[in-house]
Amino acid sequence: MSTAGEVPAFFKSMGSDSPARPRQKFCGMFCPVEGSSDSKTLDFDALSACRGKSDGRVIDRQTDISQPRKVEIRESTGKEALQNLDDRRSDRLLIKGGKIVNDDQSFCADIYMEDGVIKQIGENLIVPGGVKTIDAHGRMLMPGGIDVHTRFQMPDRGMMSADDFYQGTKAALAGGTTMIIDHVVPEPGVSLISAFEQWREWADSKSCCDYSLHIDITEWHKGIQEEMEALVKDHGVNSFLVYLAYKDIFQLTDAQVYEVFSVIRDLGAIAQVHAENGDIVAEEQRKILEQGITGPEGHVLSRPEEVEAEAVNRSVTVANQTNCPLYVTKVMSKSAADVIAQARKKGTVVYGEPITASLGTDGSHYWSKNWAKAAAYVTSPPLSPDPTTPDYLNSLLSCGDLQVTGSAHCPFNTAQRAVGKDDFSLIPEGVNGTEERMSVIWDKCVVTGKMDENQFVAVTSTNAAKIFNLYPRKGRIAVGSDADLVLWDPDLTKIISAKSHISAVEYNIFEGTEVRGGPLVVISQGKIVLEEGNLHTTEGSGRYVARKPFPDYVYKRIKARSRLAELRGVPRGLYDGPVCEVSVTPKTMTPASSAKTSPAKQPNQPVRNLHQSGFSLSGAQVDDNIPRRNTQRIVAPPGGRANITSLG
Amino acid sequence: MSYQGKKNIPKITSDRLLIKGGRIVNDDQSFHADIYMEDGLIKQIGDNLIVPGGVKTIEANGKMVIPGGIDIHTHFQMPYRGTTTVDDFAQGSKAALAGGTTMIVDHVIPEPGSSLIEAYDQWRQWADEKACCDYSLHVDITHWNDSIKQEVDNLIKEKGVNSFQVYMAYKDYYQMSNSELYEVFTFLAERGGIAQVHAENGEIIAEEQARMLQMGITGPEGHVLSRPEELEAEAVFRAITIASQTNCPLYVTRVMSKSAADIISQARKKGNVVFGEPITASLGTDGTHYWSKNWAKAASFVTSPPLSPDPTTPDYLNTLLSSGDLSVTGSAHCTFSVSQKAIGKDDFTQIPEGVNGVEERMTLIWDKAVTTGKMDENMFVAVTSTNAAKILNLYPRKGRVAVGSDADLVIWDTDSICTITAKTHNSAAEYNVFEGMELRGAPLVVICQGKIILEDGNLHVTSGVGRFIPCSAFPDYAYKRVKARKQLAVLRAVPRGMYDGPVSEFSMSRGGTPSASARTSPTKQPVRNLHQSGFSLAGNPAPCGPPTPDDVPIRPAGRRIVVPPGGRSNITSLS
């Protein structure tokens, strides 16, 4: 259902040039040549008011972008240091002269943080002596990224995805992401709570940055409902993922999805959905294997984009029926994105999450002659073979039709992928992207002019924090917020390569892509974790961040609608005419049989509420003039004739 | 009416008929000509025809002569829990003829678990006994297994059925899973059948019904509240997705809502082979009556998918019908008496479903679409008759006024005005969902099988004269495009060397999707075809590229390659 149309013509040429070719820095003949103004003109940054009181030292602006960029970080020295004897590695940090970028505005101010929390924002801050100071030189300072979708250390058939929580969060921090939300995938038959605790244990011991957890619902019965309640109330979980794919493993039926969504709405959580029609995928897989197509190209051939769009449409329908907020994970294709955009136009509370891979690359690599390379792209829903997809998704992300970005980081080694060397349906699924996420979006959206820096902050951090009820603790630079910050350098260029990435896998699906923009300094929990290209991460320092139900951003509209959506029956008199004899087999066993397999309350047998049976004596009805059926005998009742059964 | 010559005495019941001075309206053009029919066929068309003496002649006086309507969707004499619909084939086809419809296509509904062929024979017997006009049959597939597959094959090849309906609603009864739909559609695409769907998401309906009843809503308004139009649209969308995957032509029966119609028109714009069938009720009335205080009246509107409570729906559907986004019209005529409807007086889910419409169909479309200027008379013929004939592969025998076609004609009076009411209609039902509507346009004369059935307002029908018209497979109208696409849609594997790197240990407990689905479906296990695993020595490790023709040497899977002459292959090296 594509009425959303094509990308506007002026977007088409943007950001679509070959990533392998070095990019022209500025375009247009009237733009200044790069570096031409250095040492010739006034340094407005240095003079602008927002610099506040400059320490007077002139820092050379670095112009050669091939060299690693420097930031000036001044440790406390001499006498100042004596004041901080008790805490040598002080948590106190001052960032001077940065341009603070939130999702609503940008402004110049200094930031002082202590104990992992932002304490002061403004100019001429009064800070204790001996504070470690970072001079931002007017560069952008933004809230650390939130990667809403990771699968670190995910078990799959006895294997484990290549990046554990340590390796994964390290990669995230290297890319400017200071919080991740991982998916707990309980095996069907395993309790949600015990799976949750397992994941907590893994993450607490290894994670280097704050994290939170989504829970995947992989089966459905009464016990699961109780566990969900416990998770929401006691464990700070407010999002649950259901699968419409993976037939006979994770997949739920429409009726089950309806019940899960109803429960989620009552709990005030977010319903996430992996949207692909698993039934059709299973059929297509079988068909394609029968045709002798066993390589990774079979993966994308068996999961056409239509199948994704269909499932998105179906989950939107179920969410509308249940008045439950919906969050579509991994938006990989144009048509799925279109369905979301249209549903939003109609007023559905639905959010779409494109991932780094769908924003940065396409599915043409599935046809690579190199099996290992082709297999590295295997993820579900697959990357679209249509090379215009990334550009289109970036445009929708920029205009707000898609709201948040994740990475779905779940890479497997080539040896692990090779489990499916003779059968693509066995290849473990997942691509990398947590490290590249921020840079790819900056390069594809901000550099091309599709979005501004504020929208960039919104899609990489703020919207995620709002949807999952972390705002304003996360996703905003404000007094009282967590000190998770990124000093962003828009001029940094980098060529992504598996040789230099942090992740443990041999392939990087963005191999060779040149991206502009990258983090210069990353501060997580008030500590500098990245500076001058060096990572200083501490295994196990990441905290679990509990999330409350009923996020305002999502539930304000839901609440208003549920007040309106009360249905009423029509008060009628009892039908007292003749009733046809029927055979005993009832035609619709439906409600009862659905309750059999599901934990929904046993529907009461419909009992007629006599209080609601109004009886109108008000005389003529519109239908009075129609003659009565000849077989019907009505003896006039004492209070006058009721015209309930008269024909009209 | 006059008789030429004097040899009319033995020919009084002659099948010869001449219509003079009519304007023949086909779906492509209108022109003035006389029509001469004999033995139920049109023999000559033109001016100054040479006809035998003693032929009965009808003076059309410039009025339109159109091909008789084809009502592509009826449920006459449908059994329902021990009772049958009040209109049997005699009553129903009489109503059809009275409205200018000269052919009906009824749905055979086998009980789940029973044989399709037996049900088909049963319906044939009922219809042959009673039908007053030609008929054909759709067969509904209410469950799916290997023997049904055989029967479908048999029905297509020998019994003259080319269209099969599947249900996405009626959970635990008729409803099919997506995998079953996929298999049915795949099979029909192979055999040249048309896949019809009753499109509603039955699972969600079941949940909503339970919710309504819990809330104490038991009246007919619960029917429409538990089946919101979105569920119809969702199912249409899903059916289109599956049909497009299986490259099968799709026919959506009973398009009742704007959103469902929108999805069909969008799919058609994308190139899907999909046809939408609005019915008389959805084109002529809306679902506000479900809230009528009169239970019996409200119940008479109960049909699935329900009439949309949005009063602008009929107008919208008429517009899409006029623009060609919706292709054919049926009536889904399936009437129950009030006492039958009253089975569900305390529970709307028990109300037998169905509305009238076979008699009103042509007049209603004329009034809503032609008199309002949305469509012209040719389009009117297309949507009431020609398109249906094309989809059923009966064209040009039906659906066209041409030499050699069946003599099923209607002389249409554009000026007559009639008011629809249950008092005068031909159906046996006590209610008419169009009660009180004043409609312009009506048949003046109806000719069926070369005989005058309706003239001067008098119906002369004969029960049992209706013939079964077999429909053949692969109708061009639907299948030309499908065939062309089938030739294009061949998938190719990428010829690669065998992966010879390390392989992780893994347990087979998960990821068994294909085999798991094979459990429930009657299909083979996937087998790796070793002959298709090519190995290229061409030495072009291009990271990506289009699939190349597999003209490369074939290497048996077991053979080991020690450094080949042209250098090492880089299958597992990192790029």
Side-chain angles (χ1 to χ4, degrees), chain A residues 228-265:
Chain A
M228 284 168 73
E229 277 167 33
L231 284 166
V232 170
K233 291 198 175 104
D234 309 329
H235 295 93
V237 172
N238 72 0
S239 48
F240 298 91
L241 174 74
V242 296
Y243 291 88
L244 299 179
Y246 305 110
K247 188 174 172 183
D248 299 331
I249 306 170
F250 294 152
Q251 187 175 327
L252 300 186
T253 65
D254 290 355
Q256 287 170 330
V257 171
Y258 182 98
E259 284 169 17
V260 175
F261 281 14
S262 305
V263 170
I264 286 176
R265 177 211 49 221

Side-chain angles (χ1 to χ4, degrees), chain B residues 54-76:
Chain B
V55 166
K56 191 170 179 183
T57 304
I58 302 172
E59 286 293 341
N61 295 324
K63 288 208 165 57
M64 288 167 39
V65 181
I66 60 177
I70 300 176
D71 188 337
I72 198 163
H73 187 162
T74 64
H75 291 277
F76 295 152

Side-chain angles (χ1 to χ4, degrees), chain B residues 69-259:
Chain B
I70 300 176
D71 188 337
I72 198 163
H73 187 162
T74 64
H75 291 277
F76 295 152
Q77 213 166 336
M78 189 184 80
Y80 173 80
R81 289 167 68 184
T83 70
T84 49
T85 54
V86 289
D87 288 326
D88 62 6
F89 276 96
Q91 195 80 30
S93 55
K94 187 176 153 193
L97 287 166
T101 296
T102 55
M103 176 173 180
I104 57 124
V105 190
D106 207 76
H107 277 268
V108 176
I109 308 181
E111 282 297 302
S114 65
S115 147
L116 300 191
I117 305 258
E118 277 169 27
Y120 166 86
D121 289 339
Q122 176 67 68
W123 254 260
R124 279 294 306 273
Q125 191 196 330
W126 286 336
D128 283 338
E129 274 170 18
K130 292 188 172 171
C132 314
C133 65
D134 288 351
Y135 71 98
S136 194
L137 294 172
H138 307 291
V139 175
D140 295 3
I141 300 176
T142 48
H143 60 299
W144 184 245
N145 56 36
D146 269 340
S147 72
I148 295 292
K149 204 168 171 177
Q150 289 302 321
E151 289 192 312
V152 169
D153 197 31
N154 190 345
L155 285 167
I156 293 177
K157 287 195 179 123
E158 290 162 26
K159 306 282 189 179
V161 175
N162 75 354
S163 43
F164 296 85
Q165 171 163 294
V166 291
Y167 291 86
M168 300 171 81
Y170 305 110
K171 187 176 171 181
D172 299 330
Y173 200 59
Y174 294 152
Q175 186 177 328
M176 291 219 183
S177 72
N178 294 335
S179 321
E180 285 168 332
L181 292 179
Y182 185 97
E183 283 174 19
V184 173
F185 286 12
T186 309
F187 187 73
L188 289 177
E190 271 170 34
R191 300 302 149 95
I194 307 278
Q196 301 190 313
V197 287
H198 176 111
E200 276 183 301
N201 189 321
E203 304 231 348
I204 303 179
I205 289 172
E207 298 283 337
E208 291 279 337
Q209 283 179 337
R211 190 167 72 97
M212 293 301 150
L213 291 173
Q214 250 176 336
M215 291 165 64
I217 298 177
T218 58
E221 69 277 12
H223 180 74
V224 65
L225 290 174
S226 64
R227 301 177 108 99
E229 95 175 49
E230 257 191 305
L231 303 189
E232 187 191 350
E234 188 280 319
V236 171
F237 193 95
R238 185 149 42 101
I240 287 170
T241 306
I242 299 174
S244 139
Q245 282 310 305
T246 52
N247 197 18
C248 178
L250 183 72
Y251 178 105
V252 180
T253 59
R254 297 199 243 200
V255 176
M256 304 299 277
S257 67
K258 284 180 171 183
S259 24

